[in-house]
Amino acid sequence: MGVTPLGASDEQFMSRAFELAQQAEQQGEIPVGAVVVQNGQVVGEGFNSSITNQDPTAHAEVIALRAAARAVSNYRLVDSTLYVTIEPCMMCAGAMLHARVERLVYGASEPKAGAANSHRLLDFDWQNHRISILGGVLETECSALMTNFFKRKREQSAAGGLS
């Protein structure tokens, strides 16, 4: 696993992922957005919709990977970069490995469940594919979005509102 430097368009694509995360939040979903880029073009995007779809696998990354695979007519997303606002979980990390994503760029770390750098689940010698990882792109904005979302949820819950 290698760490890649910040590219000229990384913030641009992360900004799009952030917009998607805001869409998720507007729908009452955990605010995570993801974008798959290949050859400088967005080929797939998505945001969390597990609650709406009653689907535990409907994470932003999985939705974006599915859309990208359909767009390029191949389940292998060679030479692609996945941009996501929060460090992916182990399910999403596995999907990225199977899709052969070349590069992961994420916003905020997820110390409890993050599979990229927090728990290093993408960094084993026995894996037949390596993903370069860059974290911390628009980290402040991505972290604040998540923190504020969960703060509001706790306040609503304490006030007897919807959970």
Side-chain angles (χ1 to χ4, degrees):
M1 176 182 66
V3 175
T4 57
L6 182 66
S9 59
D10 287 338
E11 287 187 4
Q12 170 193 346
F13 291 123
M14 185 61 75
S15 291
R16 177 60 186 147
F18 186 81
E19 290 171 1
L20 292 164
Q22 291 173 313
Q23 287 181 31
E25 181 178 36
Q26 290 168 2
Q27 294 185 16
E29 297 282 350
I30 296 172
V32 180
V35 174
V36 178
V37 174
Q38 207 173 43
N39 301 316
Q41 300 295 314
V42 173
V43 293
E45 55 183 34
F47 54 82
N48 274 9
S49 61
S50 293
I51 298 166
T52 303
N53 292 336
Q54 298 178 342
D55 178 357
T57 68
H59 289 197
E61 301 94 323
V62 171
I63 292 169
L65 290 169
R66 287 175 179 161
R70 282 190 303 272
V72 301
S73 300
N74 194 337
Y75 75 106
R76 299 288 197 206
L77 300 171
V78 178
D79 298 325
S80 66
T81 299
L82 174 69
Y83 294 86
V84 62
T85 55
I86 191 90
E87 182 181 0
C89 71
M90 69 176 97
M91 175 186 71
C92 295
M96 290 168 29
L97 286 168
H98 286 288
R100 301 298 191 262
V101 169
E102 179 180 319
R103 186 168 175 253
L104 165 66
V105 179
Y106 68 87
S109 294
E110 178 26 287
K112 291 181 183 176
N117 285 328
S118 294
H119 293 287
R120 306 194 67 77
L121 296 178
L122 295 173
D123 194 19
F124 291 104
D125 290 337
W126 51 264
Q127 291 171 338
N128 62 349
H129 179 68
R130 296 280 188 227
I131 298 173
S132 296
I133 300 170
L134 174 64
V137 177
L138 300 184
E139 180 176 17
T140 301
E141 296 90 335
C142 294
S143 180
L145 186 64
M146 291 292 281
T147 299
N148 293 334
F149 173 80
F150 283 111
K151 181 180 177 188
R152 282 191 304 279
K153 286 289 186 186
R154 285 188 301 275
E155 289 169 355
Q156 288 173 350
S157 180
L162 299 174
S163 56

